[in-house]
Amino acid sequence: MFVKATASVVNLPPCFSIKSCYKRRSGRVSVRCVGTAADSSVVNSLSSNGKVGSLFEVGRREEIGLDVVVVDEKSGCKEEKLEPLWDDGYGTQSVKDYLDLAKEMIKPDGGPPRWFCPVALDGNDCPLPDSPVLLFLPGMDGLGLGLILHQKSLRKVFEVRCLHIPVYDRTPFIDLVSFVEETLRLEHALFPNRPIYLVGDSLGGCLALAVAARNPRIDLVVILSNPATSFDRTPLKPILPVLEGMPDTLTGTIPYLLSFVMGDPIKMASVDAESSSIPNLEKLSDNLISLLPRLSGLSDIIPKETLSWKLKLLKSAAAYTNSRLHAVKAEVLLLASGKDNMLPSRDEAERLSRNLQNCKVCYFKDNGHTLLLEDGINLLTIIKGTQKYRRTWKHDFVKDYLPPSMSEYRSALQGNGWFQFATSPVMFSTLEDGKIVRGLAGVPDDGPVLLVGYHMLLGLELAPLVLEFLREKNVIVRGIAHPALFVANSNNGLQEFSYFDLMKVFGALPVTPSNFFKLFSSKSFALLYPGGAREALHRKGEEYKLFWPDQPEFVRMAAKFGATIVPFGAIGEDDIAELVLDYDDVMKIPVLNDYLRRTNEQGIRLRTDMEGEVANQDFYFPGLLPKVPGRFYYLFGKPIRTEGREKMLKDRENAKELYMEIKSEVEKSMAYLIKKREDDPYRGVVNRVINQPISTPVHEVPTFEP
């Protein structure tokens, strides 16, 4: 889809197109989206003071007294929901596309700062219903193309607007703040119950914080990528006067100097190289060779006169923003790089986390200044993993959940690859006639389904289970986890995006009655471990022993919604490691025992009304002695239908009877697997390596006949 704006025609390469919007004295803007000769739609929008505060999407929007006219008789947009393993487009565009597009974007037109919307060429560009607005505020380049790697995925769940500041524009920082603020207030007036996202990169980070400080009553989620609030402490300070005073004959070298200061060329060139544990060196080399000549275009993006102006702009932006940090009430997610050669971003992240009232830091130790243009950084994944995506005033773990995309699934497989290879998990299930088969054919295809089973040491069985359900059944299993995993620990300093964050991307949510209710209401697949932390952090000699409470409440909740309960057993922890230091041993160690006792007392406590071992939910990290890896085995028992049994299971005794049946099935499944694994010639990793090609998918490695 190409776009004709009132002031000019924007013709861009096929990988990217924009809707553009310009200020006019009349205050009315007409944007014509050209799809085909037979189908076009016009958007008219009005804002106060003769400025364009926002560009409305093509589609029907609520009128609240403003002079807003939206015409869209045949937009083709349909309400939809994201399915598991949806295509988020990550890796299809790279810095090369950014530099190619910049050639078109930097052409002088005499226009002021403006908003544009990246759109899809196929016209399939409608976000999910009730999606919030995301305003992207660019860094020093001012182009607004900094989300080029992420735009396809973000457009699915946000209404994306990008700020473009022309190369030769000299708008002061305070006027930029006012411009963004006007857009913000207009969007808030249209939909006061939705949050508004501000994504600020470098200079844009100052802009986002300044706008947030001036609008404390608007519900904002501010995402900062290496904000330039630390510009007065930049390590480049001694050479900035040299750059400004460089002779015209040498200005051609500035782009190459800036490119190595602002980001890691290797990581930038790796974006669309195939992801694997072994880098595709040929693809990486080709990308790097094609990228380097394009860097000369930076001299057009930031010519000498503009560089001098931008440095002054950065200085005023940092001073203005730092004086108003105390007024920022917004929810802030700060992305900080460890190898930022332009700004002391690591130290600045620590400072901002102390000075901002509601700030979470996500630290990337191996990345440079241009974080959003480097390989391995998927902005939507970070937003999901840090629980920052929401459509209303509060994050809802069920309604606001976005399933993993195909790129996230592949990334998880890659990160979990060696563990998958070492444990070669085998899944069995039980058909309605009681026959045990390999695979998940015995597990129902439609929800609501509740998987109930044994929690291995440290929850080692969790990742293979979730990944296999995605691969074979295209179903996301929502793991119901301890609430402690969802509480930010401010004492840990800079935290990297971790395995626990990835668990949230793949469906983990805290155990609460309301979350159970919402999962069953939405016909989801839920995963429950009644043994909880006590089972996952068991003592020596307690492997495959269940620590279930005497409370059948999940049975009655499942019956209320007619959910199918599938008991399962999982074994293999004793085949990969030996537990040599358990909780009892740790509590005998001076100092360490006091630390653990204090930490657990300060944390979230569950089952405080119970007695015995079931109530002992203290966290600790066990000491393990690795073994030559064996294999993980899973057996999903015969599905237990509760549909039509709600009245019967309201009776506590009947519910308890079914509860004990489920527990017994889990124990029988583990006993069966422990016995049958002795007949598996591929149980040990050595035999698997000798007798099977390494490239064999783990689900195809042979095993015993059930």
Side-chain angles (χ1 to χ4, degrees):
M1 178 185 286
F2 295 101
V3 175
K4 183 184 292 182
T6 55
S8 63
V9 178
V10 183
N11 290 316
L12 298 177
C15 63
F16 182 80
S17 300
I18 64 172
K19 300 177 192 172
S20 183
C21 143
Y22 293 75
K23 290 191 296 184
R24 299 178 65 194
R25 292 184 181 276
S26 65
R28 183 177 294 276
V29 174
S30 176
V31 179
R32 183 169 297 276
C33 304
V34 183
T36 64
D39 182 23
S40 65
S41 42
V42 178
V43 179
N44 295 316
S45 64
L46 177 71
S47 65
S48 61
N49 301 326
K51 292 183 180 180
V52 175
S54 175
L55 177 66
F56 299 104
E57 82 275 17
V58 181
R60 188 183 301 276
R61 296 191 72 164
E62 181 181 2
E63 294 186 36
I64 58 172
L66 298 176
D67 182 14
V68 178
V69 180
V70 181
V71 181
D72 180 33
E73 297 178 354
K74 296 181 180 180
S75 68
C77 294
K78 298 180 180 179
E79 288 194 4
E80 59 176 317
K81 66 176 184 178
L82 293 178
E83 296 294 334
L85 306 185
W86 58 284
D87 179 16
D88 66 359
Y90 185 78
T92 58
Q93 292 179 288
S94 68
V95 178
K96 292 183 294 182
D97 299 301
Y98 166 89
L99 294 171
D100 290 340
L101 288 167
K103 294 177 183 178
E104 299 294 331
M105 297 286 285
I106 62 178
K107 292 179 179 178
D109 58 16
R114 70 209 67 165
W115 297 104
F116 71 85
C117 303
V119 296
L121 289 171
D122 58 8
N124 183 21
D125 209 47
C126 293
L128 296 178
D130 301 322
S131 293
V133 167
L134 183 150
L135 304 177
F136 175 67
L137 311 176
M140 272 186 65
D141 63 328
L143 296 177
L145 298 175
L147 293 181
I148 192 166
L149 273 62
H150 315 276
Q151 62 188 15
K152 185 174 181 179
S153 60
L154 292 176
R155 286 199 315 263
K156 284 289 187 181
V157 296
F158 292 103
E159 295 176 13
V160 180
R161 319 272 188 267
C162 300
L163 178 63
H164 174 66
I165 305 172
V167 172
Y168 295 100
D169 180 78
R170 297 296 182 261
T171 303
F173 181 74
I174 187 62
D175 288 350
L176 290 175
V177 172
S178 298
F179 178 71
V180 175
E181 183 178 61
E182 186 177 343
T183 302
L184 190 79
R185 292 177 177 176
L186 182 58
E187 292 290 347
H188 177 65
L190 281 168
F191 296 101
N193 296 322
R194 294 185 197 172
I196 298 174
Y197 284 71
L198 295 177
V199 178
D201 181 20
S202 189
L203 171 63
C206 293
L207 192 52
L209 286 173
V211 171
R214 289 168 46 140
N215 296 273
R217 295 186 178 181
I218 296 181
D219 183 11
L220 298 177
V221 180
V222 177
I223 301 173
L224 309 173
S225 175
N226 295 321
T229 46
S230 62
F231 184 69
D232 61 333
R233 291 176 279 121
T234 174
L236 301 180
K237 205 167 187 178
I239 67 169
L240 292 180
V242 177
L243 291 176
E244 293 184 67
M246 186 174 287
D248 293 339
T249 54
L250 297 178
T251 53
T253 63
I254 292 179
Y256 298 96
L257 293 174
L258 288 179
S259 65
F260 285 93
V261 167
M262 297 180 70
D264 184 341
I266 301 297
K267 286 188 177 293
M268 291 181 180
S270 301
V271 171
D272 60 349
E274 296 178 7
S275 296
S276 67
S277 55
I278 302 175
N280 187 333
L281 297 181
E282 182 179 357
K283 178 69 173 176
L284 177 61
S285 176
D286 291 343
N287 287 350
L288 196 57
I289 290 172
S290 62
L291 173 63
L292 290 177
R294 290 174 165 87
L295 293 178
S296 61
L298 287 176
S299 61
D300 297 321
I301 298 172
I302 311 179
K304 181 181 175 182
E305 304 81 17
T306 299
L307 176 62
S308 179
W309 165 255
K310 288 293 175 72
L311 293 176
K312 294 175 183 176
L313 191 65
L314 280 169
K315 186 176 180 180
S316 63
Y320 182 94
T321 305
N322 283 320
S323 67
R324 289 162 175 80
L325 291 179
H326 63 279
V328 177
K329 310 293 183 186
E331 185 178 359
V332 178
L333 173 62
L334 200 164
L335 314 182
S337 296
K339 294 183 178 179
D340 188 342
N341 296 322
M342 183 174 178
L343 298 170
S345 292
R346 185 187 187 282
D347 295 339
E348 182 65 0
E350 293 180 334
R351 185 184 76 90
L352 290 177
S353 65
R354 293 192 302 267
N355 286 276
L356 294 173
Q357 299 176 28
N358 183 11
C359 179
K360 177 180 175 63
V361 177
C362 201
Y363 181 56
F364 301 90
K365 63 180 181 181
D366 296 321
N367 291 87
H369 182 69
T370 51
L371 187 64
L372 298 178
L373 292 176
E374 295 186 7
D375 183 44
I377 305 298
N378 188 324
L379 182 57
L380 184 58
T381 302
I382 296 168
I383 293 173
K384 290 159 61 176
T386 53
Q387 305 163 64
K388 297 300 181 185
Y389 185 77
R390 54 188 174 90
R391 298 182 180 93
T392 58
W393 69 277
K394 184 180 180 181
H395 176 76
D396 188 302
F397 282 94
V398 178
K399 294 180 181 179
D400 290 330
Y401 177 68
L402 303 173
S405 65
M406 179 57 77
S407 74
E408 289 167 339
Y409 173 74
R410 288 172 178 162
S411 178
L413 278 180
Q414 179 185 346
N416 206 50
W418 287 110
F419 185 76
Q420 291 277 100
F421 174 78
T423 58
S424 188
V426 186
M427 308 277 173
F428 297 96
S429 60
T430 309
L431 303 179
E432 292 288 352
D433 61 3
K435 181 181 179 181
I436 297 176
V437 296
R438 184 169 184 179
L440 301 173
V443 179
D445 294 323
D446 300 317
V449 171
L450 179 62
L451 308 176
V452 184
Y454 169 71
H455 215 359
M456 269 195 214
L457 185 66
L458 295 176
L460 294 172
E461 82 293 342
L462 186 58
L465 186 154
V466 171
L467 292 174
E468 186 61 16
F469 266 82
L470 274 170
R471 187 200 66 81
E472 184 171 335
K473 300 184 79 70
N474 199 37
V475 164
I476 180 66
V477 175
R478 304 295 309 273
I480 301 170
H482 197 290
L485 299 179
F486 302 87
V487 177
N489 189 346
S490 58
N491 297 325
N492 287 350
L494 301 181
Q495 299 182 40
E496 298 183 45
F497 194 83
S498 68
Y499 173 76
F500 297 113
D501 296 316
L502 199 60
M503 285 174 58
K504 298 163 194 172
V505 173
F506 280 82
L509 73 170
V511 54
T512 66
S514 63
N515 282 341
F516 261 117
F517 184 92
K518 292 173 185 176
L519 286 175
F520 289 145
S521 298
S522 59
K523 300 187 182 300
S524 301
F525 278 62
L527 173 62
L528 176 66
Y529 295 107
R534 178 62 182 86
E535 211 164 79
L537 297 172
H538 62 68
R539 319 302 189 243
K540 286 182 282 191
E542 292 178 348
E543 58 270 11
Y544 312 132
K545 180 179 179 180
L546 301 184
F547 290 91
W548 289 20
D550 190 20
Q551 290 186 346
E553 296 307 315
F554 75 80
V555 172
R556 298 160 78 179
M557 178 73 81
K560 181 177 178 66
F561 292 90
T564 301
I565 300 174
V566 181
F568 74 93
I571 68 168
E573 64 176 74
D574 56 336
D575 259 3
I576 64 169
E578 180 182 352
L579 179 58
V580 295
L581 192 70
D582 64 12
Y583 179 79
D584 296 331
D585 297 324
V586 171
M587 295 308 289
K588 295 175 183 177
I589 302 175
V591 181
L592 183 57
N593 56 4
D594 290 336
Y595 170 77
L596 283 176
R597 192 178 293 111
R598 185 170 59 255
T599 302
N600 281 293
E601 287 174 354
Q602 294 172 352
I604 298 175
R605 307 284 294 180
L606 297 180
R607 298 177 177 173
T608 54
D609 57 336
M610 300 181 187
E611 297 180 354
E613 286 300 316
V614 171
N616 189 350
Q617 296 280 313
D618 286 352
F619 285 94
Y620 80 103
F621 197 87
L624 302 175
L625 184 63
K627 295 181 178 179
V628 176
R631 201 170 191 183
F632 281 3
Y633 302 86
Y634 301 74
L635 173 58
F636 295 88
K638 186 177 178 179
I640 300 172
R641 313 284 178 181
T642 66
E643 190 173 7
R645 302 170 67 181
E646 181 181 356
K647 284 188 177 180
M648 182 190 77
L649 292 174
K650 279 185 178 179
D651 181 80
R652 188 169 183 82
E653 290 303 317
N654 290 336
K656 186 173 181 180
E657 182 180 340
L658 182 56
Y659 177 84
M660 296 307 295
E661 178 186 338
I662 295 168
K663 183 177 180 181
S664 176
E665 286 298 318
V666 173
E667 292 172 330
K668 288 178 182 177
S669 295
M670 291 192 291
Y672 172 86
L673 293 172
I674 290 171
K675 179 180 178 181
K676 293 291 290 184
R677 71 176 174 180
E678 300 296 333
D679 301 329
D680 185 3
Y682 297 94
R683 176 180 173 184
V685 67
V686 176
N687 285 343
R688 293 197 296 273
V689 170
I690 293 174
N691 295 289
Q692 288 289 314
I694 293 180
S695 60
T696 303
V698 292
H699 63 275
E700 294 181 6
V701 177
T703 186
F704 62 80
E705 286 295 326

